[in-house]
Amino acid sequence: MKAASLLVLRLSLGLLMVIWGIDKLVNVEHGLEVSKHFYLDLFSSTTLLKAFGVLQIILGLAVVLGWLRGFAYPVLLLITGATLIGVWRSVVDPWGWYLEGGNVLFYPSLIIFAAAWVLYCFREDDTHALDRDRR
């Protein structure tokens, strides 16, 4: 049962990375707005966003397959952690009652980060992964 639940968790997180990566490629304007609003305009370059999109798709596919988990899972944690930090107001005050910029739709960033952390912590129990024999 544990291996099956880790598989579902891995598939859902990996597909989320693929979707986010595709969005950076096909909807660059959205990526630019996200960078401007949440990440201090640090990634506001079309070329940079597209490169991130390609890398995020590759990461997502690696996570889906359970391939190179020793590399992919820490990067997944880094990305979901950066997202969590970027939307921290929505986690602390989802309805924006006290902090400007809170949005209840971004609260799941905490859940996504927690899921990535669980996947990392229990990676050795994920026997359905492509690299399951590499411990």
Side-chain angles (χ1 to χ4, degrees), residues 13-26 49-65 67 72 75-76 79:
L13 287 169
L15 289 173
L16 179 63
M17 289 299 112
V18 170
I19 290 167
W20 282 357
I22 291 171
D23 187 62
K24 285 177 179 66
L25 295 177
V26 300
L49 280 175
K50 287 185 177 187
F52 281 165
V54 169
L55 293 173
Q56 201 162 21
I57 292 168
I58 293 168
L59 172 67
L61 293 174
V63 171
V64 163
L65 295 171
W67 181 61
V75 174
L76 178 67
I79 291 172

Side-chain angles (χ1 to χ4, degrees), residues 15-95:
L15 289 173
L16 179 63
M17 289 299 112
V18 170
I19 290 167
W20 282 357
I22 291 171
D23 187 62
K24 285 177 179 66
L25 295 177
V26 300
N27 194 0
V28 178
E29 295 78 25
H30 177 248
L32 293 171
E33 283 300 312
V34 168
S35 173
K36 181 178 178 182
H37 188 74
F38 294 106
Y39 302 107
L40 306 171
D41 224 11
L42 292 175
F43 310 106
S44 293
S45 159
T46 301
T47 304
L48 186 59
L49 280 175
K50 287 185 177 187
F52 281 165
V54 169
L55 293 173
Q56 201 162 21
I57 292 168
I58 293 168
L59 172 67
L61 293 174
V63 171
V64 163
L65 295 171
W67 181 61
L68 298 174
R69 291 178 295 161
F71 172 77
Y73 288 1
V75 174
L76 178 67
L77 273 169
L78 185 67
I79 291 172
T80 58
T83 300
L84 179 60
I85 291 167
V87 300
W88 70 271
R89 287 176 184 86
S90 297
V91 174
V92 173
D93 183 17
W95 295 282

